[in-house]
Amino acid sequence: MSIEFKSLCKSFDGSRVLEDVSLAVEPGEVLFVIGTSGTGKSVLMRHVIGLHRPDSGEVWVHGQRVDLLSERELFEIRKRCGFVFQHPALLDFLSLEENVAMPLRRRFGLGRKDATERAVSWLSQVGITKDARSLPSEVGPGIRKRASIARVVALGPEYIVYDEPTTGLDLVNARRIDNLIRRLATETKVTTVVVSHDLRSIFGIADRVAFLYLGRLHALGSPEELRESNDPILSQFLRGRAEGPMVL
Amino acid sequence: MNPKQEQLGPNHRFLAAVGASTMAPFWVAGAIVLLLPRALVGLKERGWPAREVLRQAYSAGNRSVLLVAVTLASVGMILVYHGGLQAQRVLGDMSPVGPAFIQILLREFGPTIVGLMVAARVGGGIAAEIGSMVVTEQIDALRMNAADPIRFLVTPRLIAVFLTTMALTVFGCAVAVASGAVTANVLFGVPHQSFLNLSMTEPGDLITGLIKAAAYGVYVPLAASWAGLSAGIGSEGVGRATTSGVVVGSLGIIVLSSVIGAVTFAFGL
């Protein structure tokens, strides 16, 4: 197993967000984690890179238990695991190419020129050419999101977690991001986890889907299996109906 | 209320709340002080963002010039006007007005008022900027790339605000002296040569003023950065961080002014 959660529980200020979540991500697959807003999808994924620590349970990445690692030890896991945040999280004071080049310089000790060349190459692979020298504030949200993906992919991770990559984007840009995720997963064989509630993305590019409900893993299977499921809660979510048994 | 507090009776809960409130300023002060060595370590690493220092210096310095000029000009006019009235009434001699004004300006008012202006304008800006970076996950992204947020964000601001606070203090004092000299001349007929007299100013006054300006230049960016890095969730979190940056910065300047004043006095400066 490449990423595995075992009986994970997590609370914030006495409020239980994740309850006994056990989930394994297969190597090379594209797994979508879906669920209503506030159901703990992002919180679950932030455990992978040690940005959250579980109250109980275990988190395993690449055969290593990460929930017990120190911040320094986590760096080795973070080298293997890229995280595309919900916000593009680009540094405001650096251009797009500098945002991609900075981690390359830190991670691989590259010189400024080499890092910039690689950054420009990766930006062009995600469709950014003429805006590479623009500041994040000077480009649209779709370009910012693609630049944040380039920043992660440029480091050659074995695992990538995307936290709501299409949220806030128009349909055209959202589909471009979907295609990019699928292409990267296919070409680089990277194990991919996508936190999302964009149903078009789910049925377009997912290999498997995990449905979280009220902090628990409610359903797990291929998109077709979930679509054909008779579970009333899952069915209500996938059909986007306001009326039904779901407790919000 | 956490589970431990829920188990306490009302009296104990009251005492716990009083204790927590009493200790809070010390925790904050400790956290701000602990930022300093981490920010200074950032100076030793290669490749720290020099361009960001210039950007911050421009933002903190150039854009504060008008605020500092207007404020210190007003302070100069008001102090000289009231000082002149008292001198006229009590002494009937205007000659001490200029020397006394320059002495107290360099030692106390100049650095402290500039420090408060910097805390309000620059400190608030730093807290809001870093706070919004926390909210938009930029800090997490830095950690993911093994980049220390303190080195990347606090170190450039510390250098920039330190240098600009020193420069603004010199500039602000010059503006206050100029406005005071004009006020004394126009309202009381004091000649400029008589006003611009350093007979009451000793090296200790200048040293005390410079120590204060340097201390504020270090304290304000650290306090504001601490507030920003402690930001909570969403725009409310950024708003609270900004307020906290200004309040903690301003209060700290008042405390530092008193402490430095007492210490330099004890050392005979």
Side-chain angles (χ1 to χ4, degrees):
Chain A
M1 296 303 170
S2 52
I3 298 174
E4 189 169 3
F5 305 97
K6 294 180 180 177
S7 304
L8 194 87
C9 296
K10 179 69 181 174
S11 301
F12 291 106
D13 297 329
S15 168
R16 183 55 64 95
V17 177
L18 293 171
E19 181 79 53
D20 195 25
V21 175
S22 295
L23 174 66
V25 186
E26 304 287 347
E29 76 169 336
V30 177
L31 174 81
F32 267 65
V33 179
I34 63 171
T36 51
S37 300
T39 198
K41 306 183 294 295
S42 299
V43 171
L44 179 68
M45 286 306 134
R46 290 169 77 92
H47 282 83
V48 173
I49 47 170
L51 292 177
H52 288 320
R53 307 271 180 171
D55 297 339
S56 64
E58 299 173 8
V59 184
W60 291 77
V61 178
H62 206 75
Q64 198 169 6
R65 187 169 170 189
V66 299
D67 54 288
L68 300 177
L69 299 180
S70 67
E71 188 74 11
R72 190 176 291 271
E73 291 165 332
L74 275 168
F75 179 49
E76 290 306 314
I77 290 297
R78 290 172 180 166
K79 277 183 183 172
R80 296 181 181 280
C81 195
F83 199 102
V84 178
F85 291 92
Q86 188 171 350
H87 299 93
L90 300 168
L91 295 175
D92 299 328
F93 54 90
L94 298 180
S95 67
L96 299 185
E97 72 179 26
E98 287 170 331
N99 263 288
V100 180
M102 187 270 281
L104 285 169
R105 294 177 67 193
R106 294 197 62 79
R107 186 72 61 84
F108 304 119
L110 296 179
R112 187 183 296 272
K113 189 166 169 262
D114 290 341
T116 305
E117 278 175 11
R118 274 209 215 178
V120 169
S121 165
W122 276 106
L123 282 169
S124 69
Q125 290 197 44
V126 299
I128 299 172
T129 49
K130 66 179 174 59
D131 292 312
R133 291 193 173 173
S134 303
L135 290 171
S137 57
E138 295 167 346
V139 297
I143 294 175
R144 283 201 292 269
K145 185 68 89 174
R146 277 186 278 152
S148 73
I149 292 174
R151 177 175 62 179
V152 168
V153 179
L155 297 171
E158 292 161 66
Y159 312 93
I160 301 183
V161 178
Y162 297 87
D163 191 359
E164 303 202 13
T166 56
T167 299
L169 298 182
D170 59 79
L171 282 174
V172 174
N173 270 310
R175 294 298 74 79
R176 279 184 183 161
I177 297 290
D178 285 347
N179 293 341
L180 182 61
I181 292 170
R182 183 74 254 182
R183 181 165 62 83
L184 291 169
T186 306
E187 288 176 2
T188 62
K189 309 285 183 212
V190 65
T191 302
T192 304
V193 184
V194 185
V195 173
S196 181
H197 34 64
D198 183 340
L199 295 178
R200 287 185 190 224
S201 300
I202 296 160
F203 292 112
I205 63 172
D207 293 323
R208 284 197 306 156
V209 181
F211 175 56
L212 284 188
Y213 176 61
L214 298 179
R216 289 175 177 274
L217 180 63
H218 190 82
L220 177 67
S222 68
E224 292 70 32
E225 286 169 344
L226 263 61
R227 204 196 314 247
E228 289 162 13
S229 166
N230 293 324
D231 184 284
I233 291 171
L234 181 59
S235 178
Q236 184 190 349
F237 177 78
L238 293 179
R239 283 165 181 74
R241 287 197 306 254
E243 291 79 26
M246 283 186 91
V247 179
L248 297 175
Chain B
M1 197 183 298
N2 63 41
K4 275 186 184 172
Q5 285 173 315
E6 281 174 6
Q7 292 168 5
L8 300 173
N11 291 341
H12 286 94
R13 249 184 275 165
F14 173 74
L15 283 174
V18 170
S21 305
T22 308
M23 290 304 293
F26 296 99
W27 286 115
V28 171
I32 292 169
V33 169
L34 286 175
L35 269 182
L36 180 59
R38 293 181 64 189
L40 292 178
V41 164
L43 282 173
K44 289 200 296 186
E45 288 187 34
R46 65 185 261 272
W48 54 271
R51 198 179 64 188
E52 178 65 0
V53 174
L54 290 177
R55 193 180 75 90
Q56 291 295 330
Y58 176 76
S59 172
N62 293 39
R63 293 187 174 176
S64 302
V65 164
L66 183 63
L67 177 70
V68 167
V70 171
T71 307
L72 270 292
S74 301
V75 167
M77 281 192 281
I78 291 164
L79 279 179
V80 169
Y81 171 67
H82 285 282
L85 282 181
Q86 296 303 321
Q88 207 171 36
R89 194 177 302 156
V90 178
L91 302 174
D93 175 15
M94 299 303 291
S95 63
V97 171
F101 168 72
I102 291 172
Q103 191 256 345
I104 199 169
L105 179 78
L106 294 181
R107 187 179 181 103
E108 301 286 350
F109 286 113
T112 302
I113 290 172
V114 169
L116 288 170
M117 292 298 107
V118 170
R121 194 197 166 280
V122 181
I126 290 174
E129 192 177 8
I130 295 182
S132 66
M133 292 177 85
V134 170
V135 170
T136 55
E137 299 173 315
Q138 291 181 52
I139 307 293
D140 288 336
L142 278 172
R143 288 169 65 197
M144 277 298 296
N145 293 311
D148 181 10
I150 306 295
R151 174 181 159 262
F152 254 82
L153 302 175
V154 181
T155 303
R157 285 162 177 78
L158 175 63
I159 300 165
V161 177
F162 174 76
L163 294 175
T164 51
T165 304
M166 298 296 282
L168 284 171
T169 301
V170 173
F171 170 72
C173 287
V175 170
V177 169
S179 76
V182 171
T183 306
N185 184 262
V186 171
L187 296 182
F188 305 108
V190 178
H192 291 326
Q193 295 91 328
S194 168
F195 187 88
L196 300 172
N197 183 328
L198 297 176
S199 59
M200 284 188 178
T201 306
E202 295 177 3
D205 298 318
L206 198 59
I207 292 168
T208 304
L210 286 173
I211 291 173
K212 285 185 177 179
Y216 304 153
V218 171
Y219 174 75
V220 168
L222 291 179
S225 299
W226 165 82
L229 290 168
S230 313
I233 299 165
S235 53
E236 188 186 345
V238 178
R240 282 189 184 176
T242 309
T243 307
S244 176
V246 175
V247 170
V248 172
S250 305
L251 279 176
I253 282 174
I254 303 295
V255 172
L256 276 175
S257 173
S258 307
V259 170
I260 293 169
V263 170
T264 50
F265 181 76
F267 279 93
L269 289 173

